[in-house]
Amino acid sequence: MGKTKKYCYGFCLLISVAVNILFSINLYVGGDKRQVISNQSTLTWSEKAAEEAEAVAGIYCSGHGRAYLDGLISQGQPVCECFDCYAGSDCSELSPGCAADADSGDPVFFEPFWMQHATDSAVVISGWHRMSYRYADGTTMSKELENYIRKLHSVVGNAVTEGRYIVFGIGSTQLLNAAVYALSSENSSSPSNVLASIPFYPMYKAQTVFFNSKDFQFEGDTNSWQSNNQTNKMDVIEFVTSPNNPDGELKKPVLGGKTIYDHAYFWPHFTPIKGPSDHDLMIFTLSKLTGHAGTRFGWAIIKDKDIYDKVLNYISVADLGISKDTQLRVLKLIKVAVEGDGMPLFEFSYNKMKDRWDRLTSVFSKSTKFSIQQRHPLYCNFFNETRLPSPAYAWVKCEREEDHDCSAVLKAGKIIGRNGSLFSADDRYTRLSLIKSQDDFELLLKRLTELI
Amino acid sequence: MGKTKKYCYGFCLLISVAVNILFSINLYVGGDKRQVISNQSTLTWSEKAAEEAEAVAGIYCSGHGRAYLDGLISQGQPVCECFDCYAGSDCSELSPGCAADADSGDPVFFEPFWMQHATDSAVVISGWHRMSYRYADGTTMSKELENYIRKLHSVVGNAVTEGRYIVFGIGSTQLLNAAVYALSSENSSSPSNVLASIPFYPMYKAQTVFFNSKDFQFEGDTNSWQSNNQTNKMDVIEFVTSPNNPDGELKKPVLGGKTIYDHAYFWPHFTPIKGPSDHDLMIFTLSKLTGHAGTRFGWAIIKDKDIYDKVLNYISVADLGISKDTQLRVLKLIKVAVEGDGMPLFEFSYNKMKDRWDRLTSVFSKSTKFSIQQRHPLYCNFFNETRLPSPAYAWVKCEREEDHDCSAVLKAGKIIGRNGSLFSADDRYTRLSLIKSQDDFELLLKRLTELI
């Protein structure tokens, strides 16, 4: 019995020690987890919102749609919003005869980049974030964001910001009109003449005509104006869009008067960066830099204090500044944009655009009915090599004499472009957007191949 | 030895079992934590942003300042931004002779409510959230947000929205001018006359004068206009601000022409809600509803399709719509606002305003030099009882004949108000803001008590 008892003690101890060792291993391996616990359990008020956002991001839409936090709700959760030509609750159904819509300049081709950089680009906004009209310095603009915008231009080398003022606007859109007001005559009896060179972005005309101010009037094309007006003494405000929308040309001023440089597309993915732009009034937009068109954020870089004050005043009278939520998000996005001296973002975006242009050029090269704009190689100081531009839009010309309405010809081939006349050019031209989603581009290429 | 060995076995087993029990307890107690791990480890890309936001929210600023995610950085983290009259790295130093600034209409008194509702009001915005210019329905406005705005008005009972159109704007500020453009004459030879009743919000004049359109002109006070113009046939656009800024009056139209109802302050914390406002064009703003002035979001409720289309067109030409980030945050905030049929929000805000008015009235009741506006009780359909209004501003009158410049008198007592003449009224009046932070209000009351 004594011996049995002794064996029992021994055996039990063995088992007990073994159990201890197992627990110890668990405790050790669990050590990291415990570390994780103590980090994670510090999340309190933000956790629910984070879970909601991740749950919505995890809704399956077949890669042909997205669900969003503010999407319409069905059965308690947001539904998939399908891309063009896709349908069904999970966006898996392709509509076979669907037209390729290449109309809008929606820069959704950036989306995969932001999904790849989800961690660094997410932002949490607390319920009490920046409730005031103003930041601590009394302005309506985030100084930290301004610093990052300056850093961005320094990294990319596309604009001089030293000694210049920066004003934020609701997209570059608002700043275009703010700039016209700031530069225009204060003498209503001789309003300033606003002009641009054909083909030009329709918004210049639309805004100037819409606001119908006594201080300025839209006078159309710079070249016609120059040939009709012998005197250069007249008060002109010229929009110089470089690269140009629609055709990607690096434009220069024609009239030599007051000039607004619209640099929306002056980024390495669309054009080689020869060097920093150094003008009195330059306008940029987040939309064509990072793809966040929905975020409505742009900025003007201004040399003259008086013009700066006038643009600031415009923003203040128009809407008391830019939403603080938007400014916080833009700060996050630009922080990611300048990571690695901009290389991850611009390599991604340039490669996308180059691939699209390579494939597009190959299709158009087979055609005598259609042509697209010529592209000329330039040395890019950002990428340190000579590259072809890869503009945001193809500027298509219908070459056959009978094809006066190029949009109609394309439409018959199930391709939706934007009429040349919208850009004050001939309808023999049509703009095709190359910056939409991959699905959109693939369908465009398919329809073009069928047509050509 | 055998006995010793036996005792040893027994003792060791006892210890070993005890250790096992301890581990088991740890494992059991740790069970919940492990549960927490498996819940929390589902957070991936949003976790870093959530941690950043909570870390910044946890920075100690003595209750007299805040640190923000987009604040200026010192030693790797955002610094405290101190409220007026406070200084130091943790905002603990009160500047003893500091003036009470009651100038701006910054509605920061709401801040504690949003801190109390941190979990439900936080929002996480992914890097790829709503990159497009448009929502799935082709508009630039979130349908889900529009639904919640309608629900809010139905809960509060302050505006009819059935069968009406809703347009979002960059604060009500942008909508004021959009409404003037939408209502104005399209015949430049006889521009519309824009008017308001003294005392009125200075922005009406500032915008109309600034945009300097051929379609309208600012003509000042409705009452002067009426006595100088016998005919009512002239084209007028009248701003009716109800409750009025600066004096809280529930205004009615004077001229009976086209009317823009500015209902910025038509919420239960500022005035009893007699019933739903039912007019052709009504404008509201988030700023005075939830306190988020920095978020720049307002909306117009419009009866007529033609006017709706014109306001929409204004927003589109001015800046292509409201930031999607802002719309997402506003959706979150309004979801909280309608919780409990609006009771938690409006009880909080009404009680704050009532307390401030009770204390203010008590101070002014001792004075013969200064008076404030009379308040008349009204039945409030929202709270289901008769209540006094508690306007956002005190409209102070200097009663002594020699005190022509009331702001100067107050300034000598270290109180900063807004001159009556800014509201096109007499400088014998000054507006004092009652909606700033608790620190601001306490200092205002202190300075008023010293002065009176």
Side-chain angles (χ1 to χ4, degrees), chain A residues 390-418:
Chain A
S390 40
Y393 310 105
W395 186 232
V396 180
K397 187 180 180 189
C398 279
E399 295 283 354
R400 291 193 307 190
E401 211 178 323
E402 65 269 35
D403 292 342
H404 300 289
D405 183 348
C406 195
S407 284
V409 175
L410 290 168
K411 199 169 182 189
K414 295 196 170 178
I415 296 163
I416 302 167
R418 194 168 280 189

Side-chain angles (χ1 to χ4, degrees), chain B residues 10-193:
Chain B
F11 184 68
C12 291
L13 180 60
L14 200 69
I15 287 179
S16 187
V17 166
V19 169
N20 276 353
I21 289 169
L22 276 171
F23 274 133
S24 303
I25 289 171
N26 178 68
L27 196 68
Y28 177 75
V29 173
D32 278 338
K33 286 190 189 161
R34 190 142 302 139
Q35 191 60 38
V36 173
I37 294 175
S38 73
N39 277 344
Q40 289 202 336
S41 63
T42 58
L43 279 192
T44 56
W45 54 268
S46 68
E47 194 175 336
K48 186 180 163 206
E51 282 168 1
E52 280 171 6
E54 294 210 7
V56 166
I59 292 172
Y60 180 69
C61 305
S62 311
H64 304 302
R66 300 273 170 267
Y68 295 105
L69 273 178
D70 53 2
L72 291 180
I73 306 288
S74 170
Q75 297 177 325
Q77 70 171 15
V79 297
C80 283
E81 300 179 8
C82 303
F83 299 157
D84 283 348
C85 301
Y86 288 88
S89 63
D90 64 353
C91 304
S92 61
E93 299 158 21
L94 176 61
S95 166
C98 189
D101 187 346
D103 181 46
S104 99
D106 236 356
V108 182
F109 80 102
F110 278 101
E111 205 187 49
F113 177 83
W114 295 106
M115 291 185 158
Q116 288 158 24
H117 292 77
T119 300
D120 288 336
S121 59
V123 65
V124 172
I125 304 183
S126 70
W128 66 92
H129 177 73
R130 298 274 182 211
M131 295 180 67
S132 169
Y133 286 103
R134 296 182 183 278
Y135 292 91
D137 62 1
T139 74
T140 59
M141 296 185 286
S142 159
K143 190 70 193 164
E144 188 70 0
L145 176 52
E146 186 190 323
N147 293 343
Y148 267 91
I149 288 173
R150 290 179 189 275
K151 184 171 181 180
L152 172 73
H153 285 297
S154 148
V155 160
V156 178
N158 64 340
V160 172
T161 63
E162 291 77 19
R164 310 296 168 92
Y165 301 97
I166 292 183
V167 191
F168 304 162
I170 314 287
S172 59
T173 312
Q174 183 182 40
L175 291 165
L176 300 173
N177 193 47
V180 170
Y181 267 97
L183 294 178
S184 70
S185 159
E186 280 168 26
N187 177 359
S188 299
S189 67
S190 62
S192 297
N193 302 288

Side-chain angles (χ1 to χ4, degrees), chain B residues 258-372:
Chain B
K258 290 175 277 188
T259 309
I260 299 167
Y261 280 83
D262 182 346
H263 278 328
Y265 300 89
F266 195 48
W267 298 103
H269 37 272
F270 295 132
T271 187
I273 305 295
K274 296 170 296 179
S277 187
D278 183 11
H279 299 292
D280 288 3
L281 204 169
M282 303 178 280
I283 296 176
F284 290 86
T285 170
L286 189 75
S287 170
K288 303 303 185 286
L289 159 65
T290 67
H292 294 84
T295 293
R296 316 303 315 120
F297 185 84
W299 62 95
I301 303 173
I302 302 172
K303 199 184 267 176
D304 185 63
K305 174 76 164 66
D306 179 53
I307 301 300
Y308 165 70
D309 287 336
K310 286 179 175 173
V311 173
L312 262 190
N313 186 44
Y314 179 101
I315 305 290
S316 177
V317 172
D319 41 39
L320 295 175
I322 283 69
S323 179
K324 309 296 176 286
D325 324 286
T326 297
Q327 295 193 46
L328 174 58
R329 188 183 189 208
V330 175
L331 175 63
K332 265 275 185 176
L333 298 171
I334 294 190
K335 277 182 179 175
V336 175
V338 300
E339 271 172 22
D341 283 338
M343 277 300 159
L345 175 68
F346 294 113
E347 285 281 12
F348 172 91
S349 49
Y350 173 78
N351 288 336
K352 275 267 179 192
M353 292 308 300
K354 180 183 184 300
D355 175 67
R356 292 185 179 190
W357 270 98
D358 287 349
R359 295 169 65 195
L360 191 83
T361 310
S362 153
V363 172
F364 275 96
S365 68
K366 300 179 187 82
S367 173
T368 52
K369 280 166 64 182
F370 303 98
S371 67
I372 50 175

